[in-house]
Amino acid sequence: MAKLPLVSAKVNYQKALNLMKRDPQKATLYILGLAPAILLLAIVLAAMAVLSIPVGILGSYALKAMNLRDWEEPIDPEAEMTYEEKYPQIAAKTSGLSAVPTYKKWVDPLPKSDAFAVIDKIMSERVMIIDGAMGTSVQAYKLKEEDFRAERYKDHENDLKGNNDILVLTRPDVIKEIHSAYLAAGADIIETNTFNATMISQADYALDRKQDVWDINVAAAKLAKECCVEFTKKDPSKPRFAAGAIGPTNRTLSVSPSVENPAFRACTFDEIVEAYYEQTEALIEGGVDVLLVETIFDTLNAKAALFAVNKYFANWGKKIPVFVSGTIVDNSGRTLSGQTNEAFWNSVSHAKPIAIGLNCALGAQDMVPYIDNLSKCADCWVFAYPNAGLPNAMGGYDQKGPEMAKDCETFFEKNLLNAIGGCCGTTAEHIASLAELGAKYKPRQRHDVPEQMRLSGLLPFNYEPNEKDMRKSFINLGERCNVAGSSIFKKAIVDGNFEKALAIALKQVENGAHVIDINMDDGLIDGKSAMTKFVNLLVSEPDASKVPFMIDSSKFDVVEAGLKCSQGKCIMNSISLKAGQDQFLKDAALVKAHGAAVVVMAFDEEGQAATEAEKVRICCRAFKLLVEEVGFNPQGIIFDPNILTIGTGMEEHNNYAVDFINATREIKRLCPGCKISGGVSNLAFSFRGNEPVRRGFHSAFLYHACKAGMDMGIVNAAQVEEDVYENIDKELLEYIEDVLLNRREDATERMLDFAATLDPKSGPCELRRLGQEPAAPKFEADPRQNYSKENKIAPPDPKTLPPVPTYKKWVDPLPKSDAFAVIDKIMSERVMIIDGAMGTSVQAYKLKEEDFRAERYKDHENDLKGNNDILVLTRPDVIKEIHSAYLAAGADIIETNTFNATMISQADYALDRKQDVWDINVAAAKLAKECCVEFTKKDPSKPRFAAGAIGPTNRTLSVSPSVENPAFRACTFDEIVEAYYEQTEALIEGGVDVLLVETIFDTLNAKAALFAVNKYFANWGKKIPVFVSGTIVDNSGRTLSGQTNEAFWNSVSHAKPIAIGLNCALGAQDMVPYIDNLSKCADCWVFAYPNAGLPNAMGGYDQKGPEMAKDCETFFEKNLLNAIGGCCGTTAEHIASLAELGAKYKPRQRHDVPEQMRLSGLLPFNY
């Protein structure tokens, strides 16, 4: 205590001394102000003069003992400066700032059904009751195999007992009784009996035909809705709702069924989406009020279901409420795929379900803590429908209704629920007890949750920035799983060493990465395949997949492939305005549909933003589009304003870091809620190889950028944790910040000079200098030192070369149908005959509107006359007569009446529902096949073939329908492929022997058709012959899209059609030169089916059969064809004449063509 006065004196002396040295003027004013006091003190001291001498002597000894010089500390002029005073280049502006814009609140353009408002009102006022288990109730009926078969499935090859979903078709009385019992017990919501009613799940019973699955879902929905209407009518004050039950399927997208291959999946995201889309469509067609995506053991399956549901809503133009229910598999509180329930919520919350809940697996008491957590983190209604306790040793459930209700009371005492129901083991008795319980309690009130960026891996990652010190809350985006950020990772991927790549990911998480950045963009890597395999592997490793992923690529399809493999809520990196606003909005909407946060690069149509003003302008524009037009949550918008390289020696690069830091602050001010990220390693690219300098730059940049509001960055997590800014060598830091903050014109040169003195392997916080040894003298080679007259690139002696390896010939793994061999044999021996025009033959029947409508379409809103394809449904007798006439005339091949039987073409008649298109194609195929079988039976020596006709659609992929916008297309390649895939599937389901892709006026449409056909073959595991027929539109010899016929062949030859040909547009004589050329360049069979001459002034065709045959004779005289038929204007008479002609001539022999690389644009390019 005695030392305190001395310490105080020392401190005051130091302050005074430093003030005099730093600001003499200010100190002088202080002294003058104290002058009177000093004068008074002098008088007092004079009076005490006698005492002053001994006091002075004693004082001098005391000062010497205290070592006065130690009190005088060196001056630090920056010690009392603020951050803004110290770093004016990046100081926050306090004036001249523009106002923060007011952003319009996004309004979902899709109208909501009335059920939204009704359910919201009920759940805010009372607890809603959901029904109990369908399976438990069905078991009580002790149904037998014949109950599941009924008349519809009496001859089905598989056992069907246990397939409860088909009871809506075979025993609807049972299902209706169960629904009615639950409604009578007090249920507000009953679920349709469709838990397994997807193509995927029904495959277990060999009932994975679209028609069966469609019928199950529609019938189930109608049954449930009928019961709801009946009970609502009895008591309108208690409305009842039919919920379309969408189960998890028997596949999991996040877990491999193979222990040996953790990257393997039994099905793809797209396949699951397709199955769920079809189920959603059918349930809504049947009249459900809400959809319930339930019993989710794998969140990625749920994301696929929600993707499909929202895709259907967008196409339908309306939405109904969606409930989402997860399943905790045990007391670990996780789903089967490993997510906690809050991580699960983060993953699905983007879909904005009206309610979230848990069901199955656990009894009520075990479920309480997880519902408690879900109730806190979710901003929607919350429900639960637990099992009737835990199963007994026999797998049954012993808990009765009152006992279960007692266990459930905890939910209400804690005010956790808005709705309750029962899962396994529950019956109407349990629901009655729960209804009685729920009536006693008030429901949970819906609440807001803090505005945060919420991501997830297996664990939730809720980002709460530390506004006082952003560096403390900085998100490390691990860069080592980026092929551009790690040469070791890249080599592992290129070499196929995914185990090593996985180890790198694990190490990053161990070293502090909060998110793993995954990028496969490299010319040596198939990005989509590598991304899919690596993410599938990564999700199977819990220590790595506990953190969220950043799926990173410049190629959108690669990013989407990664998103389709991750059950967590990811960050998608990246989109930009570079390709224009329309593409930006389209990409953003798709990212939103996948539930990912999004990185937006500061690019626009004019290029990359470099200056502060450009960065702010582009990001503000993107933000406005995202929040106002896409409805993106601002918390999930992450801007990357481009960290560009400094220290390059180019003056225009000097201010890049300053511009980024200042832009960061302004973007976050003008775009509330957004986040800022960047690739930090780009900054010091000029100093790669010099570790202390490069790492020092990264640390200093993060220090300053975080003060401006930077939230995250792609970094080496271990290094940024180690390289603390305050510990960087002070001399090094000064040189770095001179460059970083553009403080001197010569900053880069000084930095380079200083860097040359450093050990490049040391660190910025433990800096080492190079030794003082003199540098080695520059080596200069003698001009003739390496001279040699030897020709280093002369070809070696052939005798010294190793033999050329013998390569195995590739064999298509898909088995071919018998039709291949039969057609090959016939075409090598005789000319085959193809039928004539369907349209011309139909016209002869003079059909009326009612013929096209029949009973099926009697109330259809559009005129249907002219839609010949639907005659297979409404007048099959007419089509059968036409087929039979052509076969009787001598046709070997008849085409199905499906020229326009795609979703795209049928849209002209408002018949673009999948079911209509499916039925048309299947019926047409069956009709044609039936006729072929009948005629082959009459004469087995002349087999007949049904060819599935695949027309060009009424869209073109290579030509814009808009004169003003030549880049516009009315549809996409993928849309055309999807339409052709569905048609192919239905035609083959109906039994066609071959496929005929015909009347191709745009080769890209044909390529889409062939892509779809071969995709279907791969999925089907078999292939049938494919004929391809182009159309020359006039005597220029080109297709409508501009290709010559040889260029057309080069474009489609990869598909290995069994035969290539031309049809339509021209008469036979005009077609000869083009068939001649095709016959020379094609190594497969060749055919033609020209029109009956050229059309007359009325659009009709006057050429009769014998006349047409005479024109066609040139084909055979030149030996150009293996098959011939007729197109527009031809009838059975023409085909009879052609059959007679063909019998006189030998067919063209198939030949090889020179081995060349064959490319094409509008013209062929044969190298």
Side-chain angles (χ1 to χ4, degrees), residues 442-455:
K442 288 185 177 181
R444 162 190 174 272
Q445 289 306 298
R446 195 164 51 182
H447 59 78
D448 292 331
V449 292
E451 288 288 331
Q452 294 178 347
M453 180 177 72
R454 299 173 188 276
L455 308 174

Side-chain angles (χ1 to χ4, degrees), residues 4 139 142 196 204 585 666 795 808 816 884 907 915 1100 1151:
L4 283 177
Q139 286 170 14
K142 303 188 186 306
N196 287 308
D204 286 352
L585 291 172
E666 187 66 358
K808 287 190 297 184
K816 293 181 175 181
S884 298
Q915 194 62 54
H1151 59 79

Side-chain angles (χ1 to χ4, degrees), residues 235-292:
D235 181 3
S237 69
K238 185 180 170 69
R240 312 301 178 102
F241 302 90
I246 298 177
T249 80
N250 51 5
R251 300 284 188 273
T252 169
L253 288 170
S254 298
V255 182
S256 172
S258 168
V259 177
E260 294 76 22
N261 184 2
F264 173 70
R265 298 295 182 270
C267 60
T268 67
F269 183 90
D270 290 339
E271 289 167 346
I272 294 278
V273 166
E274 183 181 3
Y276 280 136
Y277 186 98
E278 290 166 355
Q279 184 177 27
T280 300
E281 183 178 21
L283 288 169
I284 290 176
E285 176 73 17
V288 297
D289 303 293
V290 304
L291 293 171
L292 171 57

Side-chain angles (χ1 to χ4, degrees), residues 56-75:
I57 294 168
L58 291 172
S60 65
Y61 278 107
L63 291 173
K64 184 178 180 182
M66 288 186 285
N67 194 355
L68 175 61
R69 295 193 62 81
D70 288 347
W71 291 17
E72 297 183 16
E73 294 182 352
I75 297 172

Side-chain angles (χ1 to χ4, degrees), residues 390-398:
L390 296 174
N392 57 33
M394 301 300 290
Y397 292 84
D398 302 319

Side-chain angles (χ1 to χ4, degrees), residues 463-474 706 711:
Y463 172 58
E464 188 174 359
N466 183 334
E467 299 295 347
K468 292 183 178 178
D469 188 352
M470 295 285 284
R471 188 67 186 88
K472 287 183 178 176
S473 58
F474 185 78
C706 286
D711 299 275

Side-chain angles (χ1 to χ4, degrees), residues 39 350 363 1003 1027:
L39 182 61
H350 66 279
T1003 312
F1027 287 51

